[in-house]
Amino acid sequence: MSSIELTDSQRKILNELVNLYREEEDAVKGETIAEAVGRNAGTIRNQMQSLKALQLVEGVPGPKGGYKPTANAFEALDLQSLDEPAATPLFHDGERLEDVNVQEINLTSVHHPELCRAEIHVQASVRDFHEGDKVTVGPTPLSKLVIEGTVDGKDDTASVLILKIDSMEAPADPPEH
C-alpha cells in the first residue's frame, strides 16, 4: 500500500496518464489527458507539477513530449507493473477489448445472489462503458472463472466497473463418489 495520499483529482489524472501511457507506450500530452478527464489543459499542467514534485510523473520535453508515469505512480495507484501479466480478457457488448487486462475481481454480497455485484478493476480506462452495457470477464488464468453481467456503475478514477452479475461459471472438479 502506498503512503502517498492523493486527492481524487490527482488520482483520476494519474490513473488516466497510466492508462494512456499503456495504450500509446510513449509520452502523453497534457491536452490528451485533459480531454480524457474532462478538464482544462491548464489545470492538468498545474496538477502535473504537483505530481512531479511527488515523483509520480516525469516530464518529457520537446514536440513529441508530454508526461510519463514513474514506477512510483504504479505503487501510488496500487497497480501492478508486471512485464507480462497473466491475461484475463474483457468483452464489452460481445467484443473483446485488446490491450485491456483485468487486474482484480471483487465479489460483494455473495450470500445474497440477487444482490451480488462484481467489482472489476481493469488496467485501462472505463470511460467508454455505460450503465446497461453487457460485459464478460474471463476466463481467469487459474480457476477459468467467467463472469457475465451488466454495468451497474463505474468509478472512472480507479478504473473500476461494477457489474450486476447475470451468470458466473468456473470448471469444478467432478464429485468423488
Side-chain angles (χ1 to χ4, degrees):
M1 192 77 167
S2 172
S3 62
I4 298 175
E5 290 295 324
L6 297 173
T7 66
D8 285 344
S9 179
Q10 288 172 323
R11 181 171 293 281
K12 184 173 187 173
I13 290 166
L14 187 59
N15 199 49
E16 196 62 42
L17 170 64
V18 167
N19 291 334
L20 291 167
Y21 180 75
R22 283 181 169 152
E23 288 173 19
E24 298 176 17
E25 295 181 4
D26 205 0
V28 180
K29 296 198 174 301
E31 293 80 11
T32 305
I33 299 167
E35 186 178 314
V37 297
R39 297 272 172 79
N40 177 300
T43 302
I44 299 302
R45 281 192 294 277
N46 291 338
Q47 289 287 3
M48 286 301 174
Q49 292 305 316
S50 64
L51 293 172
K52 271 193 219 177
L54 293 169
Q55 300 179 343
L56 298 175
V57 301
E58 60 183 51
V60 178
K64 299 226 181 232
Y67 302 97
K68 289 184 178 182
T70 65
N72 293 340
F74 289 89
E75 185 180 322
L77 294 172
D78 292 326
L79 296 176
Q80 297 173 350
S81 177
L82 301 174
D83 292 333
E84 289 297 324
T88 299
L90 182 68
F91 298 83
H92 183 201
D93 288 329
E95 204 171 304
R96 183 176 178 156
L97 301 177
E98 298 300 323
D99 301 322
V100 174
N101 195 14
V102 175
Q103 179 179 332
E104 186 177 325
I105 300 170
N106 294 321
L107 301 174
T108 61
S109 300
V110 289
H111 57 285
H112 289 291
E114 66 280 355
L115 300 176
C116 190
R117 299 286 185 270
E119 289 182 2
I120 311 299
H121 298 251
V122 298
Q123 292 182 339
S125 175
V126 296
R127 67 180 167 268
D128 294 332
F129 290 85
H130 304 287
E131 214 169 294
D133 290 358
K134 293 293 185 188
V135 172
T136 302
V137 180
T140 58
L142 292 177
S143 67
K144 305 299 182 210
L145 174 68
V146 176
I147 298 174
E148 293 181 358
T150 308
V151 175
D152 200 33
K154 66 180 181 176
D155 179 351
D156 289 315
T157 304
S159 290
V160 175
L161 294 173
I162 300 167
L163 302 184
K164 179 180 181 289
I165 298 173
D166 298 328
S167 73
M168 243 187 334
E169 291 183 35
D173 293 332
E176 295 178 22
H177 286 40

